[in-house]
Amino acid sequence: MMCSSFRVFRVGISFVTMCIFYKSAANSLPELSPHEYFSTLQPGKASLAYFCQADSPSTSVFLEGLHEAVRPLQDYGISVAKVNCIKEETSRYCGKDKDLMKAYLFRGNILLREFPTDTLFDENAIVAHVLFALLFNEVKYITTPEDLQSAENALKGKANIVFSYVRAIGTPEHRAVMEAAFVYGTTCQFVLTTEIALLESIGSEEIEYAHLYFFHCKPVLDLTQECRRILMEQPLTTLNIDLFIKTMNAPLLTEVAEDPQHVSTVHFQLGLPLVFIVSQQATYEADKRTAEWVAWRLLGKAGVLLLLRDSLEANIPQHANVVFKRAEKGVPVEFLVLHDVDSIISHVENNVHIEEKQEDGEDDVEGPDIGQAVSMAFLQSYIDVAAKLKGTSTMLLTRINCADWTDVCTKQNVTEFPVVKMYKEGENPVSYAGMLGTEDLLKFIQLNRISYPVNITSIQEAEQYLHGELYKDLLSYSSVSVLGLFSPTMITAKEDFIEAGRALKGYVITGVYSGEDVLILSNKYAVTLPALLLARHKEGRIESIPLANTHAHDIVQLITDASLETFPEITVENLPSYLRLQKPLLMLFSDGSINPQHEKAVLTMVEQKHLDSLTPCWLNLKNTPVGRGILKAYFDTLPPLPLLVVVNLHSGGRVFAFPSDQAITEQNLLSWLKKLEAGLENPITVLPAQDWKPPLPAYDFLSMMDAATLQHPTRKAPECLKDPDVPESVKEHHEDKSAVEREPTETLRIKRWNRSSWFKYAEESLRRDKEL
Amino acid sequence: MWGSPGLLLTLALHPALAVAPARDYCVLGAGPAGLQMAYFLQRAGRDYTVLERAPGPGSFFARYPRHRKLISINKRYTGRSNAEFNLRHDWNSLLSHDPRLLFKHYSAAYFPDAGDMQRYLGDFAGRLGLRVQYNTTVLHVALDKDRRAWNGHYFVLTDHKGQVYRCRVLLVATGLSVPNRVDFPGSEHLEGYESVSVDPEDFVGQNVLILGRGNAAFETAENILGVTNFIHMLSRSRVRLSWATHYVGDLRAINNGLLDTYQLKSLDGLLESDLTDLAILKDREGKFHVTLKFFVEEAGTNQSADAVTLPQDDSDNFAMRVAYDRVIRCLGWNFDFSIFNESLRLSSGSEFSRKYPLIRASYEAKGSRGLFVLGTASHSVDYRKSAGGFIHGFRYTVRAVHRLLEQRHHGVAWPATQHPITQLTSSVLRRVNEASGLYQMFGVLADVILVQENATAFEYLEEFPTQMLAQLESLTGRRARHGLFVVHMEYGRNFSGPEKDVFFYDRSVGHTEDAWQSNFLHPVIYYYRHLPTEQEVRFRPAQWPLPRPTAIHHIVEDFLTDWTAPVGHVLPLRRFLENCLGTDLRSFYAESCFLFALTRQKLPPFCRQGYLRKQGLVSTESLRRHGVESGLMQDHAAAGQHLRDRGQQPGDRGPVGHPPAAGMLAQSLNSDKEEL
């Protein structure tokens, strides 16, 4: 008892503490004696109490509901208690009969209502009934069309009406309406009915369901005029009603003179699209009337604004008279030419279903999946990217589960999963074709912040670009910057390059310069036009490559190859790029950073063209721990690192190891490579060449089915079934007939009607007659 | 006196015939099937017209069902947003690209009113702008041989005004419109379902005999069950309950009130007999007595009730010895053959082709090339098996017919998508989990996967009529030279039937190794190394819906029809596909591919098609940690660990004993919980 009174004390202190204790106090139903209960009542505060005999069962359907209702009622500042009637204290609320206990609603210590427990059959009923009693003035209960008419007349010019029909008091819909009334009851008049006839009188169909209408009575000044009625089309839930009333209360028409892309109204915040009617000074009045008419028609479906073209800075296409802004944030607005109100309405209504799907967005990247593990694994990376970009980017990363949104994915031509697509305003969607990992995707997204190729406008800018001063923050994502140089007349060559630049967007930074003074650059870097300049920022080098009659596809290849390093650190991500060269790998395994002397030795050999037939590279086991697995496959016993090997992947799979007792110097290396070439070295291992066969056998259901057939010899194994000329259905008829004859049911009496058996039957019955 | 009307019309209109321009496609009937076909023709931009007798679409629904309640379910909620999946449970909508044209927007009732269907069809035709010519009754259809025509002849249609239409292809979607009558002495006393009163008041205190045992019969009984003295129901064979036969055309639970009152020995009852042996006599009070045709024939011309022997004269416990106030005929409908000239050979004239026109599994008439039968009238293909006689089935078969036509006359190959072989498992999974055509038209339509050379890629074709498998190449314009999979849905072989107990204990199978014994609808995948021949399709083993395959896989039935369980559904499927193709279809992280690339001469398809093209799947730190912790991945950071085989997980029911695959597989996801 101590404990429960403490709890009540805590609940009752003040609104603020109640909020703090909200969670711990939730769902706890204090049990009090009548005296304790009445001493906690505070003036003006509502309280619901259930009086019961102390020895009555502590659980019942009603009590379960009451427990559930504690928390929602507390949200409305209503406390709830179970009062145990004990012998020592008599209270008039304690009934005599155990079964006739009731719940009472008090405000302060004034009794407002009493409820038989069977009306409070569940949480919804309790909340609905209690709020209904408390909102007696705010919610008017009516039963006839006349009541509704008089309520309407009384409020014209004064307030709007929220009229709802619910099947019964205490239903979830009733509760939702009551909760809305708690919030909006002071600004709108709520009118409630449970009479179907009343709903029919205002022309509703499908009366099986609860209905809610918003009557726009406030703007009606002429009493003979009807209030405009808007039906809420969504199911009656608290959230839906809240949103609906918010949109109904929003201004019918807003005038704006801003770029529609940046306009937001309450409609938009509530997830509705916006329709801008473009107006000009000259036609302002007519446009406004049109806009108002459209607004009435689209009430609850879209926000309507009048866009004043004259005072607008943003560019709106000449002929566009309507601008449509989808509910999805960040989708570019659509400029439309629509000639009448109906086409505006139907455009909006036709585009509503798309809006439900929460499709694209600005710079939107989608990643579909079908609960498939590859997708699920990639999703992890995708989420990591999203986390890294959070707050730093204008990108919106979304994902679409194609198992749910097949139609959306099909429309986007997505048939393989996972797929990442980027949607950028004014550009075609781009499919991401890189590694499905955090780093590469991040790189792709970052590099896509600017469009490619970058248009360089002056020699100075070109120099800045080549020296990495122009896009400093992007340099870490692209190992090279490429600049295409063209004289102003080289139109085709430039177009090819631009196409290549677009193809490489997201992977390499590309720029183009074709100013009149382009010769200054070509002279400086000693190259004839058209040409490419390739800035390797890490090495601080700028290379030049002439471009004669090179098609876009070849330029892409050229740049891809050129962006390869001469002695790269090989990683999981970049190996495929180097394997493409189809050369044996000369690979140095290092436990940590590479020894600078080794690096120098290899680079010198590269410069001297000794390594042209190989792809020299090194692997840092710290960065790429899987390298240990490779070494394990090459060596029976692992010699100390660093280790140098030649892996002949593309011809024979032989692996050679540089003797670990020799120092890695130019000279030693060169002579070892010569011996290799001469075939004087033995491979330490030959990589296995077997195919990737199924790792495990499958169930052989065919044999199991055969075996089962053999066990039942009655059913003949493969037997000819089809008679080519008789359709399936015909056979069924045959079977049916025979089925009739086989049937041993009570109806045999009738079945013997066929002529041949009739006589026998008659004879038999005659004989029986005789026996009688 | 004037000769046959057909001849007269032909004579009178012959000059007009010569000038009538030919249309590519004529659709007869603007019911659901006709409109569905019109939709596909319209979307493909074809030259077509729909001819409809009534002033609006779906005129059948203006009168039928007589008691107005459709028994096709209007399931508005499934808890899923997948539009294709939701069609699995939507038995009323036609196929279109417009989500507003879903039937759920037209009725809130689970068993909707027939009027709503008419309204829906009206909107379907109207909103999509389908070209329907109403108030046009085609009275006669004949052939005009012309070698230049697509099919060697034109179909010449003549309407009630004498207008002539010449059509290259004729699509007959006229449904079954002629009430089925049985002829026996006294059959003139019967009232038909099509005209009998639907007002229960008219049956108060009456003894009623209903002939038939279909949904119409039971629907009629249901309506008057509460006011009659009793209802007897007489039919040729035992009642077929759709829940036992798994055929939606059989008696649905919603109509079965009479079964209840019969079995609980209220006064109603069910009887079986061949109706053709029957005779009905009317006595002086206007009551009807049931007797045998044989007795009537014996009595000769004198057919008053009192002169003819009644069965009860000999057998005093004869079941139908009471007199009836009414006898109602509810025996279904037949196709209306009357307008088709005999040269079209729609009917063989045999007793069995009286109900349905003779067609092939491609829905083309056996007797005349270029004539296709759609909708309810095409149900002979899957009568008492699948849903081809109902909207939720024939909307897909109509689409299949349209795809065949596109290939035949316009050179547009059957739509197919191309994928790398690594997508095979997920492509199959996706379809078996959402495809509605496979689900509704189980046993009739199947997806076909054409494996490309060297099994590196495949083409995926949806909803092809399985019985036409042998002609796949010519019908689809696709090549099947390197093997194919057929993805199909089936009930268990011995599960369905009017006499079957479908609620027996142990009716469902849970273990993957017993998948082939699954009883409820489940996906079955057939693998053929070569396209089956027509011979193989036609003379396939008994009870096999398809010819014997090289290998077969059943995905074990699932209570939720959700076949995505990694161990129970996905893994066995992948192993089946792998073994058919002789390759390894597992997925690997980029790190594993990297290792393989440097330690093996060949790479698995997943690494070849992804990683080597710089599209590898890079693992994240957290996944790597998860993999290492669960012992599935080797932690290369800590040296000296042994590789483990990831192919055999505890709880994995897959066959074991096969040499484990070496290598560092990305199998942290290949455990019980997740499958790559």
Side-chain angles (χ1 to χ4, degrees), chain A residues 37 358 382 492 496 673:
Chain A
Y37 175 69
Q358 299 157 6
Y382 193 71
T492 335
D496 275 331
L673 287 176

Side-chain angles (χ1 to χ4, degrees), chain A residues 209 350 373 403-404 406 416 435-436 572 628 634 652 687-688 692 695-696 699 706 722 728 736 753, chain B residues 76 82 100 292 315 318 384-385 420 430 434 512 538 548 579 598 601-602 611 614 616 618 636 658 675:
Chain A
Y209 299 94
N350 289 347
D404 289 337
T406 320
E416 290 168 22
M435 286 278 174
L436 300 172
V572 170
R628 284 183 205 285
Y634 292 170
L687 302 180
W692 286 80
L696 288 169
Y699 294 120
D706 286 345
K722 297 277 133 169
E728 293 282 297
D736 263 8
W753 284 0
Chain B
R76 298 187 302 151
N82 185 325
R100 290 173 301 168
L292 291 178
S315 166
F318 173 60
R384 286 198 177 156
K385 289 199 169 72
R430 174 179 163 183
E434 69 173 27
T512 50
R538 191 172 279 177
R548 193 181 159 85
N579 279 278
L598 291 170
Q601 293 193 43
K602 288 180 180 160
Y611 179 71
K614 303 183 209 172
V618 182
H636 289 282
H658 189 81
E675 160 84 357

Side-chain angles (χ1 to χ4, degrees), chain A residues 492-753:
Chain A
T492 335
K494 189 178 160 185
E495 272 171 5
D496 275 331
F497 176 77
I498 289 174
E499 198 186 322
R502 284 205 192 109
L504 287 168
K505 81 177 202 174
Y507 307 101
V508 181
I509 299 178
T510 54
V512 63
Y513 184 65
S514 60
E516 298 284 348
D517 52 358
V518 67
L519 282 176
I520 299 176
L521 281 174
S522 71
N523 288 338
K524 180 174 175 191
Y525 294 101
V527 68
T528 48
L529 297 177
L532 291 185
L533 295 181
L534 204 81
R536 297 182 187 277
H537 301 296
K538 229 194 278 173
E539 298 154 46
R541 256 185 320 138
I542 295 172
E543 293 167 18
S544 54
I545 305 167
L547 266 189
N549 282 328
T550 321
H551 290 296
H553 179 77
D554 301 321
I555 300 175
V556 170
Q557 203 53 63
L558 196 71
I559 295 175
T560 314
D561 289 346
S563 54
L564 294 180
E565 296 173 40
T566 45
F567 186 42
E569 179 193 335
I570 213 79
T571 61
V572 170
E573 285 81 1
N574 70 13
L575 177 71
S577 306
Y578 292 94
L579 285 183
R580 267 199 62 255
L581 304 173
Q582 300 270 324
K583 292 181 196 169
L585 300 177
L586 173 71
M587 205 167 175
L588 180 78
F589 286 85
S590 167
D591 195 10
S593 299
I594 190 169
N595 179 329
Q597 274 167 350
H598 299 162
E599 186 175 22
K600 202 172 153 234
V602 175
L603 283 174
T604 316
M605 289 178 75
V606 169
E607 249 163 64
Q608 294 167 351
K609 309 267 177 201
H610 290 307
L611 300 179
D612 283 1
S613 61
L614 299 168
T615 302
C617 57
W618 66 283
L619 186 144
N620 183 342
L621 288 169
K622 290 245 158 63
N623 294 338
T624 313
V626 66
R628 284 183 205 285
I630 298 171
L631 289 173
K632 232 178 270 171
Y634 292 170
F635 295 95
D636 290 331
T637 46
L638 194 61
L641 294 169
L643 273 171
L644 194 71
V645 296
V646 166
V647 189
N648 209 332
L649 284 173
H650 304 282
S651 51
R654 282 168 304 162
V655 180
F656 302 92
F658 180 74
S660 53
D661 50 358
Q662 290 185 26
I664 302 176
T665 62
E666 273 171 68
Q667 211 130 38
N668 289 342
L669 208 48
L670 201 58
S671 68
W672 181 64
L673 287 176
K674 282 213 171 108
K675 268 198 264 174
L676 262 188
E677 215 171 321
L680 298 173
E681 285 283 320
N682 285 327
I684 51 164
T685 185
V686 178
L687 302 180
Q690 84 249 33
D691 284 319
W692 286 80
K693 291 287 173 199
L696 288 169
Y699 294 120
D700 186 358
F701 287 141
L702 200 56
S703 308
M704 295 186 206
M705 291 163 84
D706 286 345
T709 316
L710 287 175
Q711 275 167 12
H712 303 281
T714 43
R715 204 176 305 125
K716 268 177 275 167
E719 121 190 330
C720 296
L721 164 93
K722 297 277 133 169
D723 174 356
D725 290 324
V726 184
E728 293 282 297
S729 55
V730 169
K731 276 196 221 82
E732 289 277 353
H733 285 285
H734 277 304
E735 283 158 21
D736 263 8
K737 270 216 142 164
S738 52
V740 171
E741 279 147 21
R742 263 185 272 120
E743 222 131 277
T745 63
E746 66 160 40
T747 55
L748 267 176
R749 270 172 287 174
I750 305 177
K751 281 210 191 105
R752 299 198 182 172
W753 284 0

Side-chain angles (χ1 to χ4, degrees), chain B residues 180-205:
Chain B
N180 186 24
R181 292 166 205 273
V182 182
D183 197 24
F184 53 79
S187 58
E188 69 274 12
H189 301 308
L190 305 187
E191 294 176 84
Y193 170 77
E194 63 279 2
S195 55
V196 71
S197 162
V198 291
D199 183 0
E201 287 292 310
D202 295 341
F203 297 84
V204 170

